[in-house]
Amino acid sequence: MTKSEKMDIKKLKEFMELVGKLKHEKRAGWVLKNVTDVETIAGHMYRMAMLSFLIDSKENLDKTKIMQMTLVHDLAECIVGDITPHDNIAPEVKHEQEDKAMEQICKLLGNKGPEMLEIFREYEKQESPEAQYVKDLDRLDLLMQAFEYEKRDKNPGHLQEFFTSINGKIRHPFLNEVAKEINQEREELIRDSDVRK
């Protein structure tokens, strides 16, 4: 690395502090539904990144890019917060706020920043197969998390709106099969709960 390419350590520390916020920032959708002990944004992104290991090598997908995308897709939330549909912020305004936040974050990384910004923007555009796969991972994780909360809190059916919002939207065949399995197990749990009432 030449002196001009050397990363500014103070800016890197600032980047680390911003990323660190996501380890504690709770996912707003669950908080709004009065779910207790909810996941953090970093926890959500971590499980998505772990699921990227499952990509079949026969598929024409860039596994490394997908893993990177899972780790940056919600990174802007360390500045703008976790904006939900309940916030009544138009999608284009949300995208604009998040893009500006990502520009700010990526400037802290010197010559490493543009690659991260490019990956984030690719996800936002939803035009590449990798971006679409990550969006499906995002939906699948939400589905699984809602199911886990319903089981944990012994309140099957309570988080129906999350299942409704995802219904039919997971396009990747394998991830769709996983979603169907989650839904099937949840329906059994709801039936068992109704029988006991």
Side-chain angles (χ1 to χ4, degrees), residues 131-153:
Q132 290 165 9
Y133 189 89
V134 172
K135 189 66 175 176
D136 280 350
L137 284 178
D138 191 32
R139 290 174 174 139
L140 183 65
D141 184 63
L142 180 70
L143 205 67
M144 186 66 191
Q145 193 62 61
F147 178 51
E148 287 173 345
Y149 289 145
E150 286 185 346
K151 279 197 310 185
R152 180 197 72 186
D153 299 339

Side-chain angles (χ1 to χ4, degrees), residues 31-175:
V31 174
L32 289 168
K33 286 287 155 196
N34 298 314
V35 178
T36 58
D37 192 23
V38 301
E39 67 173 336
T40 63
I41 295 165
H44 160 65
M45 293 193 300
Y46 174 74
R47 180 155 62 185
M48 285 176 63
M50 290 302 293
L51 289 172
S52 67
F53 277 101
L54 304 178
I55 297 164
D56 191 324
S57 58
K58 295 182 192 106
E59 288 195 72
N60 193 22
L61 290 168
D62 183 335
K63 188 188 283 192
T64 302
K65 184 189 276 188
I66 286 171
M67 192 176 290
Q68 291 172 333
M69 212 176 270
T70 63
L71 293 168
V72 301
H73 83 287
D74 281 343
L75 183 56
E77 292 178 12
C78 68
I79 292 176
V80 301
D82 187 7
I83 299 168
T84 74
H86 297 282
D87 294 317
N88 292 320
I89 293 174
E92 59 275 8
V93 174
K94 177 183 185 283
H95 291 304
E96 188 180 318
Q97 287 178 359
E98 289 179 345
D99 195 73
K100 281 185 180 156
M102 280 302 291
E103 284 182 352
Q104 186 181 333
I105 292 163
C106 293
K107 279 181 185 166
L108 299 172
L109 298 176
N111 66 343
K112 304 289 183 194
E115 181 187 4
M116 186 179 286
L117 186 58
E118 187 181 319
I119 289 168
F120 171 78
R121 286 177 171 161
E122 182 178 332
Y123 172 74
E124 287 291 300
K125 285 180 187 163
Q126 282 296 295
E127 291 171 352
S128 70
E130 286 80 9
Q132 290 165 9
Y133 189 89
V134 172
K135 189 66 175 176
D136 280 350
L137 284 178
D138 191 32
R139 290 174 174 139
L140 183 65
D141 184 63
L142 180 70
L143 205 67
M144 186 66 191
Q145 193 62 61
F147 178 51
E148 287 173 345
Y149 289 145
E150 286 185 346
K151 279 197 310 185
R152 180 197 72 186
D153 299 339
K154 296 176 179 52
N155 198 355
H158 171 67
L159 298 171
Q160 181 59 44
E161 74 177 79
F162 294 96
F163 291 87
T164 303
S165 71
I166 290 167
N167 190 26
K169 290 186 178 172
I170 297 177
R171 297 161 288 196
H172 189 274
F174 174 69
L175 299 182

